[in-house]
Structures are given as C-alpha cells and as structure tokens.
Amino acid sequence: MSKKIAIVVGSLRKGSFSKQIAKNLAKLFPSDYETEFVEIGNLPLYNEDIDTPESVPAEYTTFRDQIKSADGVLFVTPEYNRSIPGGLKNAIDVGSRPYGQSAWDMKPAAVVSVSPGAISGFGANHALRQSLVFLNMPVLQQPEAYIGNVTKILDDNGNVAEGTVGFLQSIVDAYVDLLNRY
C-alpha cells in the first residue's frame, strides 16, 4: 500500500539549503512512497478573525487538505534566531486550526535541521519538536537529523556529497520504520 509524505520546508528562499536537502531526502524513499512538497510561503498570517466558515482563506483550506491527505510529514528547516522561521510557525498554526480539527493530529513526523554553521540548526530542531509534541505527532527520535556545514556537502546542482547519502538514507529508513508502525 502506497504512503504519501508531505514535505514541509521551513525556508521560503528559492535556492534554500533546506529545500536542496529536502529534495535529496525525497529521492531516498522507497518506490511505494509518494512525496509531495507542501507550499507554506503563500499562507496569510494566521488570524482567527479571517478563519471563519464564511471567510477562510483558500490557501488555508488547500494547505490543510494537503496535510490531512498525507500519511506523515517530513519537516526540513533552517534555524532563525535559535528557533524556527516565522513562515514555518505560521504553517503549524494554520494546520492546527480550527481548534479540535488539527490537520497534524497523529501524523508521524521527522525533523531535519539544516545550517551552514557548525551548530546544525539544533535550536530549530528542538523548538519544532516542542510544537509537534503538543500537536500529537509521533516524532522520529533516532537518528537525530542535524545537518551542519551544509555548503560543504552540496554540489552546484544541489546534490549531496556521496558520503552524506548514507546518513540521509538512515534518516529516511528510520522514518519509514516509524510510519509503518502507524
């Protein structure tokens, strides 16, 4: 039975390192898995005043439906100021509403943080995990997925160095095992 994985990238930048890593991860899923990149940059800031049955933004509905149709969610994000980017936080909030109808509920998740620095997005990884616990998402615990010095492992075409492919494959394999338990 085929499974669908929503890939949510925290960076909105066209050539982002996080998006490049996410594309490399997407290629490593088994053939019976479908991956779908879910856009978050077009979501209006969450505001309960506009999230009513009469006026819910179409972008909210599209986003929520994409998350709901997925069997799991792979988050790939940079770190901004020791936390997650604002666009990603907004997407989490949009997906969690209206209250009691969270699109995230019980979706197995994996978190990969990406950084050109040595700390590897550690702060973002853990800040995101904190929200995912509240959202009732089982999250992959091991291997921990911190990718630092990303500029040294990506070539000009956005492909990871051969020595990194095995590490990325270990993340995907462990995540597939988690997904198969749900």
Side-chain angles (χ1 to χ4, degrees):
M1 182 163 128
S2 180
K3 292 199 180 192
K4 184 176 176 183
I5 306 304
I7 300 177
V8 177
V9 178
S11 176
L12 305 181
R13 189 171 63 85
K14 183 179 175 183
S16 82
F17 300 128
S18 296
K19 188 173 289 179
Q20 291 177 56
I21 294 296
K23 287 178 179 178
N24 280 275
L25 286 160
K27 294 187 283 189
L28 299 174
F29 278 87
S31 61
D32 58 338
Y33 277 72
E34 174 191 349
T35 58
E36 175 185 28
F37 283 80
V38 179
E39 178 60 43
I40 66 170
N42 64 341
L43 295 171
L45 287 176
Y46 186 76
N47 180 340
E48 195 170 348
D49 291 341
I50 64 170
D51 192 18
T52 66
E54 303 80 32
S55 67
V56 62
E59 297 90 348
Y60 285 11
T61 301
T62 298
F63 177 77
R64 290 168 176 158
D65 289 346
Q66 286 179 290
I67 298 301
K68 285 179 183 175
S69 73
D71 295 296
V73 183
L74 171 62
F75 293 94
V76 184
T77 187
E79 178 176 295
Y80 290 2
N81 302 310
R82 297 289 184 255
S83 190
I84 60 175
L88 180 54
K89 177 62 167 96
N90 185 54
I92 289 167
D93 294 344
V94 167
S96 71
R97 299 291 188 269
Y99 184 79
Q101 298 176 42
S102 175
W104 307 112
D105 190 46
M106 288 305 295
K107 301 280 183 192
V111 177
V112 178
S113 55
V114 178
S115 171
I119 299 177
S120 311
F122 179 87
N125 196 302
H126 286 265
L128 181 53
R129 287 169 178 275
Q130 184 176 353
S131 290
L132 302 184
V133 168
F134 178 78
L135 294 171
N136 199 32
M137 297 180 79
V139 181
L140 178 67
Q141 301 302 314
Q142 295 292 326
E144 292 182 300
Y146 310 105
I147 299 178
N149 301 306
V150 69
T151 56
K152 295 178 181 175
I153 63 168
L154 288 169
D155 67 19
D156 292 339
N157 296 318
N159 297 310
V160 295
E162 193 173 314
T164 305
V165 174
F167 175 62
L168 295 183
Q169 187 67 64
S170 73
I171 296 164
V172 170
D173 291 348
Y175 182 47
V176 166
D177 287 344
L178 176 69
L179 285 157
N180 287 333
R181 286 184 260 157
Y182 286 88

